[in-house]
Amino acid sequence: MKYKMTAGFETHVELKTESKIFCSCSTEFGAPANTHCCPVCMGLPGVMPSLNKKVVEYGVKAGLALNCKINTISFMDRKNYSYPDLPKAYQITQYDTPLCYDGFVELSSGKRIGINRIHIEEDAGKLIHKDEEILIDYNRAGVPLIEIVSEPHINSVDEAKEYVEKLRLIMRYIGVSDCKMQEGSMRCDVNISVSESDTLGTRTEIKNMNSINFIAKAMEYECKRQIEALETGQKIVQETLGFDEKTKQTYSMRSKEDADDYRYFREPDLTAIHISNEDVEKIREGLPELPHHKSYRYVKTMNLEQKDAELISKYPKVAEFFEKSALGVKSPKRVADFITGVIFAHLKSETLKEKFDLNISPESLKKLVNLIDEGKLNVNKAKSTLEKMLESGKSPEELLSTQDLAEVSSSELSDLCLKAIDENEKIVTDYKNGKDKAIMALVGFVMRESKGRADPGKAKEKLIELL
């Protein structure tokens, strides 16, 4: 039997505001437990929440970046449930009138994953399981969130991974969140079902996934589990699941609630949210060029390879450095090659690439590339010079001598190639016997003898001519 997997995501993204959504407590991550709390975020009797304007701005910003329509009038609601990490026994969120609706994320295949809604809400506290005890840290209670709810348009693990990666990239690019999944500032609930037809099957929800790798493994396991259950005549129960990272299996947590179970009603302590069309357009105008638009431009106007364009546009600071370095050079592609090659090899982790804290300037890289374009320096010598620049912070002028920049004359190149042929009889024999790649060993000899000054392309041409 052929089963079709269908999944939808509810993605919680913590917003990068300095204070919480309804009070002035700090949102700083990693503070000692229960030190960023006040009567408001603890829900003590008699307190009144006050909505953080920046939260609304960031919510609209996220919606526009994800092609959503904006509700110019929206409301806050109470979602009632009792759990130890929720001190008020209700969460202030949005129910029937969210801030944003009807958007999409476009995958590399051209398929669009619909965004049903984006609403703002407050986060809950954090439960810490220690031995036989459960400890509660309320620092996170009241931290502002947006919840991005997709349509059930995802039909494979690969689509799910790309969807989450694109969401994460866009949210970071527009500056509304750091999306550090390892710190819980981006978490996904995955709703998944399988069916033999286009009619959706009974769904289960895998809660609080904070790793793209674990999302993939959880979906693979749950899909397989549901198919095996159906094929043995069992019924799928609508329930909330957890994922055990050690066993790589899902497990039942509780039966899945429906909206009616939460007894939503309008939040009485907060007025309606009104944002004018003029304010929406002002936020739209302030959006940066998004990564997929940026990579498209790099391919079309700078002749970059698609892979390199996506890699550079993935990191905002790298893209900024690239554009400054490539301004006015003959070959932006060469600049991109140096960044994705030498510089990325120097910055080994994702964190270092994101920070992109180099001790060389874009102007220094531009000067190095211009030396190649002017025929004063070959690519190999430029690469080794760039490595020294990254280590020392020095400019090309400080590292390259007059001798380094002296062009190998035609007669000197001929002499070097003749020497390579005379001193490497076996390699020459191999080449003449049809081993074409042997020529590169001779090119290497010429490069060593010229101390990297010779142009490898010209050396290869001269060697073939002489042989």
Side-chain angles (χ1 to χ4, degrees):
M1 293 183 183
K2 179 68 175 176
Y3 287 89
K4 177 183 177 182
M5 180 188 79
T6 303
F9 276 68
E10 297 168 15
T11 305
H12 298 83
V13 177
E14 285 187 355
L15 299 178
K16 200 166 60 174
T17 56
E18 292 183 9
S19 58
K20 292 184 180 182
I21 186 169
F22 299 122
C23 66
S24 59
C25 289
S26 171
T27 58
E28 179 192 5
F29 178 81
N34 297 307
T35 56
H36 289 171
C37 304
C38 73
V40 175
C41 52
M42 291 293 291
L44 299 185
V47 297
M48 292 290 285
S50 178
L51 180 60
N52 185 338
K53 184 179 178 181
K54 201 74 176 176
V55 174
V56 178
E57 180 188 326
Y58 278 5
V60 172
K61 203 172 185 180
L64 294 174
L66 298 178
N67 308 291
C68 289
K69 299 178 178 68
I70 308 299
N71 272 318
T72 54
I73 297 178
S74 62
F75 304 91
M76 303 305 298
D77 299 281
R78 285 192 185 182
K79 179 181 180 181
N80 297 275
Y81 66 96
S82 181
Y83 207 66
D85 61 6
L86 198 68
K88 298 194 290 281
Y90 63 85
Q91 177 192 36
I92 302 179
T93 181
Q94 292 188 302
Y95 178 50
D96 56 352
T97 314
L99 193 61
C100 316
Y101 66 100
D102 193 19
F104 65 86
V105 170
E106 188 167 315
L107 304 183
S108 56
S109 63
K111 179 178 179 178
R112 289 182 174 182
I113 306 301
I115 301 296
N116 177 282
R117 59 188 280 141
I118 300 175
H119 60 260
I120 57 175
E121 63 184 21
E122 61 181 336
D123 208 345
K126 185 178 181 180
L127 298 182
I128 301 162
H129 298 267
K130 186 176 180 182
D131 299 326
E132 307 245 335
E133 298 178 314
I134 298 177
L135 308 178
I136 309 173
D137 179 5
Y138 286 122
N139 281 349
R140 199 173 68 184
V143 168
L145 294 175
I146 51 173
E147 182 173 343
I148 304 168
V149 182
S150 83
E151 299 287 1
H153 291 168
I154 294 169
N155 300 117
S156 73
V157 170
D158 286 340
E159 285 183 356
K161 288 165 66 178
E162 186 179 355
Y163 170 77
V164 176
E165 285 167 353
K166 287 209 165 183
L167 271 191
R168 183 170 179 257
L169 181 57
I170 291 169
M171 293 302 104
R172 288 169 54 193
Y173 235 83
I174 62 176
V176 303
S177 176
D178 58 27
C179 290
K180 293 180 179 177
M181 297 184 80
Q182 70 277 14
E183 293 181 2
S185 58
M186 180 174 174
R187 312 186 295 275
C188 297
D189 298 341
V190 185
N191 291 280
I192 185 169
S193 67
V194 297
S195 174
E196 295 178 78
S197 66
D198 290 334
T199 303
L200 296 181
T202 302
R203 66 187 170 95
T204 57
E205 180 182 39
I206 312 169
K207 292 288 286 185
N208 286 329
M209 304 294 294
N210 63 352
S211 156
I212 293 176
N213 181 41
F214 287 144
I215 287 171
K217 291 183 184 303
M219 289 180 70
E220 287 168 356
Y221 175 81
E222 182 59 16
C223 184
K224 182 181 176 183
R225 183 190 74 82
Q226 290 190 22
I227 291 171
E228 288 177 353
L230 291 173
E231 289 188 338
T232 55
Q234 301 174 55
K235 284 189 175 182
I236 304 300
V237 178
Q238 183 172 310
E239 59 184 337
T240 298
L241 306 172
F243 178 68
D244 190 315
E245 296 171 3
K246 293 179 181 178
T247 64
K248 307 293 187 294
Q249 296 180 350
T250 57
Y251 59 90
S252 180
M253 294 172 66
R254 59 182 180 271
S255 61
K256 173 65 181 158
E257 304 89 345
D258 287 314
D260 291 346
D261 297 320
Y262 293 120
R263 305 188 330 278
Y264 285 98
F265 63 86
R266 196 74 76 224
E267 171 55 56
D269 293 335
L270 291 165
T271 60
I273 300 167
H274 177 259
I275 180 164
S276 68
N277 289 321
E278 291 76 18
D279 286 338
V280 171
E281 290 311 308
K282 187 176 178 180
I283 294 171
R284 191 193 305 275
E285 288 168 9
L287 284 174
E289 183 182 25
L290 295 177
H292 49 288
H293 295 147
K294 200 179 283 287
S295 62
Y296 178 82
R297 177 167 61 85
Y298 291 165
V299 172
K300 292 297 181 183
T301 65
M302 297 186 178
N303 297 317
L304 266 60
E305 299 292 335
Q306 183 69 38
K307 182 180 178 182
D308 290 339
E310 289 177 359
L311 200 53
I312 288 172
S313 60
K314 180 179 178 182
Y315 310 97
K317 290 185 178 179
V318 176
E320 182 183 359
F321 186 93
F322 164 71
E323 294 198 21
K324 288 180 179 178
S325 302
L327 188 64
V329 303
K330 289 181 183 178
S331 175
K333 186 179 184 306
R334 200 185 303 280
V335 176
D337 289 342
F338 278 142
I339 290 174
T340 59
V342 178
I343 294 179
F344 276 12
H346 181 74
L347 305 170
K348 298 186 184 300
S349 71
E350 284 291 297
T351 302
L352 290 174
K353 291 183 180 75
E354 287 164 9
K355 289 182 179 177
F356 209 67
D357 187 14
L358 302 181
N359 56 4
I360 66 167
S361 67
E363 191 62 33
S364 287
L365 181 56
K366 184 192 294 187
K367 287 178 181 178
L368 188 68
V369 171
N370 281 336
L371 289 172
I372 301 171
D373 292 340
E374 292 164 7
K376 295 179 179 178
L377 197 66
N378 66 60
V379 174
N380 288 339
K381 184 67 176 177
K383 285 181 178 178
S384 62
T385 302
L386 179 55
E387 288 169 355
K388 292 175 184 176
M389 289 166 61
L390 292 167
E391 292 295 335
S392 66
K394 293 181 178 179
S395 66
E397 300 96 316
E398 293 174 292
L399 292 170
L400 293 167
S401 65
T402 304
Q403 180 67 19
D404 290 326
L405 297 173
E407 189 175 358
V408 174
S409 66
S410 179
S411 61
E412 186 183 354
L413 183 62
S414 292
D415 291 342
L416 287 167
C417 290
L418 285 169
K419 185 177 180 181
I421 292 168
D422 290 341
E423 296 186 14
N424 295 280
E425 290 182 14
K426 185 179 183 306
I427 295 172
V428 170
T429 301
D430 287 343
Y431 177 75
K432 288 184 175 182
N433 287 336
K435 295 183 179 179
D436 292 343
K437 290 184 180 179
I439 196 75
M440 297 313 298
L442 298 176
V443 173
F445 181 91
V446 172
M447 297 306 296
R448 286 191 298 274
E449 289 293 310
S450 68
K451 295 183 179 177
R453 291 186 301 115
D455 184 288
K458 290 180 180 179
K460 183 179 177 182
E461 288 176 11
K462 177 57 70 173
L463 285 163
I464 292 172
E465 178 189 325
L466 291 170
L467 286 166

